[in-house]
Short mmCIF file of all heavy atoms in Angstrom, two decimals:
data_model
loop_
_atom_site.label_atom_id
_atom_site.label_comp_id
_atom_site.label_asym_id
_atom_site.label_seq_id
_atom_site.Cartn_x
_atom_site.Cartn_y
_atom_site.Cartn_z
N LYS A 15 105.75 114.17 101.58
CA LYS A 15 105.22 113.35 100.35
C LYS A 15 106.39 112.47 99.76
O LYS A 15 107.61 112.79 99.71
CB LYS A 15 104.91 114.32 99.19
CG LYS A 15 103.69 115.13 99.58
CD LYS A 15 103.21 115.89 98.40
CE LYS A 15 101.98 116.82 98.78
NZ LYS A 15 101.44 117.56 97.62
N PRO A 18 106.95 109.74 93.31
CA PRO A 18 106.22 108.71 92.53
C PRO A 18 106.91 107.43 92.38
O PRO A 18 106.28 106.41 92.23
CB PRO A 18 105.93 109.40 91.22
CG PRO A 18 105.94 110.91 91.62
CD PRO A 18 106.94 111.06 92.57
N HIS A 53 102.74 124.80 99.74
CA HIS A 53 102.44 123.65 98.91
C HIS A 53 103.64 123.04 98.36
O HIS A 53 104.65 123.79 97.91
CB HIS A 53 101.56 124.01 97.70
CG HIS A 53 101.18 123.00 96.69
ND1 HIS A 53 100.45 121.83 97.11
CD2 HIS A 53 101.61 122.82 95.43
CE1 HIS A 53 100.33 121.12 95.95
NE2 HIS A 53 101.11 121.67 94.98
N MET A 54 103.68 121.65 98.29
CA MET A 54 104.85 120.98 97.74
C MET A 54 104.33 119.82 96.85
O MET A 54 103.35 119.16 97.21
CB MET A 54 105.68 120.38 98.87
CG MET A 54 106.88 119.53 98.39
SD MET A 54 107.67 118.85 99.81
CE MET A 54 106.49 117.72 100.59
N GLU A 55 105.03 119.56 95.71
CA GLU A 55 104.60 118.51 94.80
C GLU A 55 105.69 117.98 93.93
O GLU A 55 106.56 118.77 93.47
CB GLU A 55 103.48 119.13 93.87
CG GLU A 55 102.82 118.00 92.98
CD GLU A 55 101.72 118.67 92.17
OE1 GLU A 55 101.23 119.81 92.59
OE2 GLU A 55 101.36 118.04 91.08
N TRP A 56 105.73 116.68 93.92
CA TRP A 56 106.80 116.00 92.97
C TRP A 56 106.38 115.99 91.59
O TRP A 56 105.17 115.99 91.32
CB TRP A 56 106.90 114.54 93.44
CG TRP A 56 107.68 114.34 94.74
CD1 TRP A 56 107.18 114.13 95.92
CD2 TRP A 56 109.07 114.24 94.81
NE1 TRP A 56 108.23 114.02 96.90
CE2 TRP A 56 109.47 114.03 96.17
CE3 TRP A 56 110.21 114.32 94.03
CZ2 TRP A 56 110.67 113.87 96.73
CZ3 TRP A 56 111.54 114.26 94.45
CH2 TRP A 56 111.75 114.06 95.75
N SER A 57 107.22 116.16 90.68
CA SER A 57 107.00 115.83 89.30
C SER A 57 106.79 114.47 89.01
O SER A 57 107.16 113.54 89.84
CB SER A 57 108.20 116.36 88.26
OG SER A 57 109.26 115.62 88.62
N SER A 58 106.12 114.05 87.92
CA SER A 58 105.68 112.71 87.62
C SER A 58 106.88 111.78 87.58
O SER A 58 106.73 110.51 87.79
CB SER A 58 104.87 112.65 86.37
OG SER A 58 105.61 113.15 85.26
N ASP A 59 108.02 112.25 87.09
CA ASP A 59 109.21 111.40 86.92
C ASP A 59 110.10 111.47 88.16
O ASP A 59 111.25 110.83 88.01
CB ASP A 59 109.95 111.78 85.64
CG ASP A 59 110.33 113.17 85.66
OD1 ASP A 59 110.19 113.93 86.68
OD2 ASP A 59 110.87 113.70 84.61
N SER A 60 109.79 112.21 89.21
CA SER A 60 110.47 112.33 90.49
C SER A 60 111.78 112.97 90.36
O SER A 60 112.74 112.87 91.17
CB SER A 60 110.74 110.92 91.04
OG SER A 60 109.51 110.21 91.24
N LEU A 61 112.00 113.73 89.21
CA LEU A 61 113.27 114.41 89.00
C LEU A 61 113.20 115.78 89.47
O LEU A 61 114.32 116.44 89.73
CB LEU A 61 113.62 114.44 87.57
CG LEU A 61 113.96 113.09 86.88
CD1 LEU A 61 114.22 113.26 85.40
CD2 LEU A 61 114.98 112.35 87.64
N PHE A 62 112.07 116.42 89.70
CA PHE A 62 111.85 117.66 90.16
C PHE A 62 110.91 117.79 91.26
O PHE A 62 110.11 116.96 91.44
CB PHE A 62 111.44 118.70 89.05
CG PHE A 62 112.36 118.82 87.83
CD1 PHE A 62 112.29 118.02 86.74
CD2 PHE A 62 113.39 119.70 87.90
CE1 PHE A 62 113.06 118.03 85.75
CE2 PHE A 62 114.37 119.86 86.78
CZ PHE A 62 114.14 118.95 85.67
N ILE A 63 111.08 118.96 92.15
CA ILE A 63 110.14 119.08 93.27
C ILE A 63 109.65 120.56 93.24
O ILE A 63 110.62 121.45 93.07
CB ILE A 63 110.72 118.59 94.54
CG1 ILE A 63 109.64 118.68 95.69
CG2 ILE A 63 111.98 119.41 94.98
CD1 ILE A 63 109.96 117.91 96.93
N LEU A 64 108.35 120.78 93.31
CA LEU A 64 107.87 122.22 93.28
C LEU A 64 107.46 122.55 94.69
O LEU A 64 106.78 121.82 95.45
CB LEU A 64 106.69 122.21 92.29
CG LEU A 64 105.82 123.37 92.27
CD1 LEU A 64 105.11 123.35 90.80
CD2 LEU A 64 104.68 123.49 93.21
N CYS A 65 107.77 123.85 95.01
CA CYS A 65 107.41 124.40 96.28
C CYS A 65 106.88 125.76 96.08
O CYS A 65 107.43 126.63 95.41
CB CYS A 65 108.61 124.52 97.22
SG CYS A 65 109.32 122.91 97.70
N VAL A 73 106.95 130.69 93.20
CA VAL A 73 107.09 129.17 93.00
C VAL A 73 108.61 128.93 92.84
O VAL A 73 109.15 129.57 91.93
CB VAL A 73 106.23 128.64 91.91
CG1 VAL A 73 106.59 127.18 91.68
CG2 VAL A 73 104.82 128.82 92.23
N GLN A 74 109.20 127.99 93.52
CA GLN A 74 110.57 127.46 93.27
C GLN A 74 110.61 126.06 93.00
O GLN A 74 109.80 125.22 93.65
CB GLN A 74 111.42 127.80 94.51
CG GLN A 74 111.63 129.27 94.64
CD GLN A 74 112.73 129.52 95.83
OE1 GLN A 74 112.31 129.73 97.00
NE2 GLN A 74 113.97 129.57 95.50
N VAL A 75 111.33 125.68 92.04
CA VAL A 75 111.55 124.35 91.54
C VAL A 75 113.01 123.95 91.71
O VAL A 75 113.89 124.64 91.32
CB VAL A 75 111.06 124.15 90.07
CG1 VAL A 75 111.16 122.72 89.62
CG2 VAL A 75 109.70 124.69 89.85
N TRP A 76 113.08 122.69 92.26
CA TRP A 76 114.54 122.12 92.43
C TRP A 76 114.67 120.87 91.67
O TRP A 76 113.81 120.02 91.49
CB TRP A 76 114.73 121.95 94.02
CG TRP A 76 114.59 123.17 94.73
CD1 TRP A 76 113.40 123.59 95.32
CD2 TRP A 76 115.53 124.19 95.16
NE1 TRP A 76 113.56 124.69 96.05
CE2 TRP A 76 114.86 125.16 95.86
CE3 TRP A 76 116.84 124.45 94.76
CZ2 TRP A 76 115.56 126.30 96.29
CZ3 TRP A 76 117.48 125.49 95.24
CH2 TRP A 76 116.83 126.36 96.01
N SER A 77 115.93 120.59 91.34
CA SER A 77 116.25 119.34 90.54
C SER A 77 116.99 118.43 91.45
O SER A 77 118.09 118.84 92.08
CB SER A 77 117.11 119.63 89.30
OG SER A 77 117.58 118.55 88.64
N TRP A 83 121.01 123.55 90.07
CA TRP A 83 119.94 124.08 89.17
C TRP A 83 118.73 124.40 89.97
O TRP A 83 118.24 123.50 90.70
CB TRP A 83 119.59 123.20 87.99
CG TRP A 83 118.49 123.70 87.05
CD1 TRP A 83 118.87 124.29 85.96
CD2 TRP A 83 117.23 123.54 87.18
NE1 TRP A 83 117.66 124.70 85.26
CE2 TRP A 83 116.58 124.24 86.04
CE3 TRP A 83 116.35 122.95 88.18
CZ2 TRP A 83 115.20 124.26 85.74
CZ3 TRP A 83 114.95 123.12 87.91
CH2 TRP A 83 114.49 123.80 86.80
N CYS A 85 114.72 126.76 89.62
CA CYS A 85 113.95 127.75 88.92
C CYS A 85 113.02 128.46 89.87
O CYS A 85 112.48 128.00 90.76
CB CYS A 85 112.99 126.93 87.86
SG CYS A 85 111.76 127.85 87.11
N ILE A 87 109.67 131.16 89.91
CA ILE A 87 108.57 131.70 89.18
C ILE A 87 107.84 132.79 89.99
O ILE A 87 107.39 132.44 91.05
CB ILE A 87 107.62 130.74 88.58
CG1 ILE A 87 108.36 129.68 87.66
CG2 ILE A 87 106.39 131.41 87.97
CD1 ILE A 87 107.42 128.61 87.28
N SER A 96 97.08 128.70 93.63
CA SER A 96 97.42 127.22 93.43
C SER A 96 98.48 127.02 92.40
O SER A 96 98.55 127.85 91.44
CB SER A 96 96.18 126.50 93.13
OG SER A 96 95.78 126.75 91.79
N SER A 97 99.25 126.03 92.60
CA SER A 97 100.23 125.60 91.59
C SER A 97 100.38 124.12 91.52
O SER A 97 100.25 123.43 92.62
CB SER A 97 101.66 126.27 92.17
OG SER A 97 102.68 125.95 91.21
N ARG A 98 100.56 123.64 90.32
CA ARG A 98 100.61 122.19 90.22
C ARG A 98 101.43 121.86 88.81
O ARG A 98 101.65 122.81 88.02
CB ARG A 98 99.24 121.60 90.10
CG ARG A 98 98.48 122.13 88.84
CD ARG A 98 97.07 121.49 88.68
NE ARG A 98 97.15 120.08 88.57
CZ ARG A 98 96.11 119.17 88.48
NH1 ARG A 98 94.99 119.71 88.70
NH2 ARG A 98 96.32 117.94 88.30
N TRP A 99 101.90 120.61 88.85
CA TRP A 99 102.63 120.08 87.70
C TRP A 99 101.67 119.68 86.53
O TRP A 99 100.49 119.23 86.85
CB TRP A 99 103.47 118.91 88.11
CG TRP A 99 104.79 119.20 88.90
CD1 TRP A 99 104.86 118.99 90.15
CD2 TRP A 99 105.99 119.71 88.34
NE1 TRP A 99 106.22 119.43 90.51
CE2 TRP A 99 106.82 119.82 89.46
CE3 TRP A 99 106.39 120.09 87.00
CZ2 TRP A 99 108.10 120.24 89.25
CZ3 TRP A 99 107.73 120.57 86.92
CH2 TRP A 99 108.50 120.64 88.06
N SER A 100 102.13 119.65 85.33
CA SER A 100 101.49 119.00 84.30
C SER A 100 101.92 117.57 84.31
O SER A 100 102.96 117.28 84.91
CB SER A 100 101.78 119.64 82.95
OG SER A 100 103.12 119.53 82.66
N PRO A 101 101.25 116.63 83.64
CA PRO A 101 101.65 115.28 83.68
C PRO A 101 103.03 114.93 83.23
O PRO A 101 103.72 113.98 83.55
CB PRO A 101 100.55 114.54 82.80
CG PRO A 101 99.43 115.41 82.87
CD PRO A 101 99.96 116.83 82.92
N ASP A 102 103.65 115.70 82.21
CA ASP A 102 104.96 115.48 81.72
C ASP A 102 106.03 115.88 82.63
O ASP A 102 107.18 115.60 82.43
CB ASP A 102 105.10 116.16 80.30
CG ASP A 102 105.12 117.59 80.41
OD1 ASP A 102 104.80 118.17 81.49
OD2 ASP A 102 105.26 118.31 79.39
N GLY A 103 105.70 116.59 83.71
CA GLY A 103 106.68 117.11 84.67
C GLY A 103 107.66 118.13 84.16
O GLY A 103 108.78 118.35 84.77
N ARG A 104 107.29 118.82 83.12
CA ARG A 104 108.12 119.84 82.53
C ARG A 104 107.38 121.20 82.32
O ARG A 104 107.85 122.15 81.83
CB ARG A 104 108.66 119.48 81.12
CG ARG A 104 109.60 118.26 81.23
CD ARG A 104 110.80 118.48 82.02
NE ARG A 104 111.68 117.33 82.11
CZ ARG A 104 111.62 116.38 83.01
NH1 ARG A 104 110.65 116.38 83.99
NH2 ARG A 104 112.36 115.34 82.97
N HIS A 105 106.06 121.25 82.74
CA HIS A 105 105.31 122.51 82.79
C HIS A 105 104.62 122.66 84.13
O HIS A 105 104.27 121.67 84.78
CB HIS A 105 104.20 122.38 81.73
CG HIS A 105 104.79 122.33 80.32
ND1 HIS A 105 105.21 121.21 79.70
CD2 HIS A 105 104.92 123.41 79.38
CE1 HIS A 105 105.55 121.43 78.47
NE2 HIS A 105 105.51 122.71 78.31
N ILE A 106 104.46 123.88 84.53
CA ILE A 106 103.78 124.22 85.78
C ILE A 106 102.65 125.07 85.48
O ILE A 106 102.73 126.12 84.70
CB ILE A 106 104.88 124.97 86.71
CG1 ILE A 106 105.99 123.98 87.07
CG2 ILE A 106 104.11 125.54 87.96
CD1 ILE A 106 107.15 124.74 87.79
N LEU A 107 101.50 124.88 86.12
CA LEU A 107 100.28 125.53 85.92
C LEU A 107 99.94 126.38 87.24
O LEU A 107 99.76 125.78 88.29
CB LEU A 107 99.10 124.64 85.62
CG LEU A 107 99.01 124.07 84.20
CD1 LEU A 107 100.04 123.00 83.94
CD2 LEU A 107 97.67 123.57 83.91
N ASN A 108 99.93 127.62 87.14
CA ASN A 108 99.67 128.60 88.34
C ASN A 108 98.28 129.22 88.00
O ASN A 108 98.02 129.67 86.96
CB ASN A 108 100.82 129.62 88.39
CG ASN A 108 102.06 129.04 88.92
OD1 ASN A 108 102.12 127.90 89.43
ND2 ASN A 108 103.20 129.72 88.68
N VAL A 118 100.77 128.93 82.25
CA VAL A 118 101.39 127.69 81.96
C VAL A 118 102.95 128.02 81.72
O VAL A 118 103.22 128.67 80.69
CB VAL A 118 100.82 126.86 80.85
CG1 VAL A 118 101.60 125.55 80.59
CG2 VAL A 118 99.41 126.63 80.95
N TRP A 119 103.81 127.57 82.51
CA TRP A 119 105.28 127.85 82.46
C TRP A 119 105.93 126.54 81.98
O TRP A 119 105.80 125.53 82.55
CB TRP A 119 105.81 128.32 83.72
CG TRP A 119 105.16 129.57 84.30
CD1 TRP A 119 104.07 129.65 85.04
CD2 TRP A 119 105.69 131.01 84.19
NE1 TRP A 119 103.80 131.01 85.47
CE2 TRP A 119 104.71 131.75 84.95
CE3 TRP A 119 106.77 131.51 83.56
CZ2 TRP A 119 104.91 133.10 85.09
CZ3 TRP A 119 106.91 132.85 83.70
CH2 TRP A 119 105.98 133.65 84.42
N SER A 120 106.88 126.79 80.93
CA SER A 120 107.60 125.66 80.44
C SER A 120 109.00 125.74 80.99
O SER A 120 109.72 126.79 80.96
CB SER A 120 107.62 125.61 78.91
OG SER A 120 108.56 124.68 78.42
N LEU A 121 109.51 124.63 81.56
CA LEU A 121 110.88 124.54 82.23
C LEU A 121 111.84 124.26 81.00
O LEU A 121 113.07 124.55 81.19
CB LEU A 121 111.00 123.41 83.21
CG LEU A 121 110.19 123.63 84.39
CD1 LEU A 121 110.47 122.45 85.40
CD2 LEU A 121 110.32 124.89 85.16
N ILE A 139 90.15 121.61 87.18
CA ILE A 139 91.24 121.17 86.23
C ILE A 139 91.42 119.61 86.45
O ILE A 139 91.58 119.22 87.61
CB ILE A 139 92.53 121.96 86.35
CG1 ILE A 139 92.28 123.42 86.06
CG2 ILE A 139 93.63 121.34 85.52
CD1 ILE A 139 93.57 124.23 86.29
N PHE A 141 93.58 116.11 84.34
CA PHE A 141 94.30 115.66 83.17
C PHE A 141 93.90 114.08 82.96
O PHE A 141 93.56 113.43 83.92
CB PHE A 141 95.83 115.62 83.50
CG PHE A 141 96.28 117.09 83.62
CD1 PHE A 141 96.46 117.60 84.77
CD2 PHE A 141 96.79 117.72 82.42
CE1 PHE A 141 97.01 118.94 84.88
CE2 PHE A 141 97.37 119.02 82.57
CZ PHE A 141 97.47 119.53 83.74
N MET A 148 94.06 117.98 78.86
CA MET A 148 93.67 118.63 80.06
C MET A 148 92.25 119.25 79.79
O MET A 148 91.92 119.93 78.80
CB MET A 148 94.60 119.78 80.35
CG MET A 148 94.19 120.49 81.73
SD MET A 148 95.23 121.95 82.00
CE MET A 148 94.44 123.20 80.91
N TRP A 168 99.78 122.84 74.25
CA TRP A 168 98.69 123.60 74.96
C TRP A 168 97.83 124.44 73.95
O TRP A 168 97.30 125.48 74.26
CB TRP A 168 99.35 124.60 75.93
CG TRP A 168 100.11 123.96 76.98
CD1 TRP A 168 101.53 123.77 76.96
CD2 TRP A 168 99.59 123.18 78.06
NE1 TRP A 168 101.89 123.06 78.08
CE2 TRP A 168 100.81 122.70 78.74
CE3 TRP A 168 98.38 122.92 78.53
CZ2 TRP A 168 100.61 121.82 79.85
CZ3 TRP A 168 98.31 122.15 79.68
CH2 TRP A 168 99.45 121.59 80.36
#
Side-chain angles (χ1 to χ4, degrees):
K15 295 186 178 181
H53 173 71
M54 176 183 66
E55 185 176 340
W56 286 95
S57 62
S58 57
D59 55 7
S60 304
L61 296 180
F62 299 92
I63 188 166
L64 174 154
C65 295
V73 175
Q74 287 186 269
V75 184
W76 304 91
S77 170
W83 180 95
C85 169
I87 299 172
S96 71
S97 183
R98 63 178 296 174
W99 286 103
S100 66
D102 64 357
R104 297 299 179 270
H105 294 83
I106 295 173
L107 283 74
N108 289 341
V118 183
W119 301 83
S120 173
L121 299 184
I139 298 178
F141 294 93
M148 179 190 78
W168 302 101

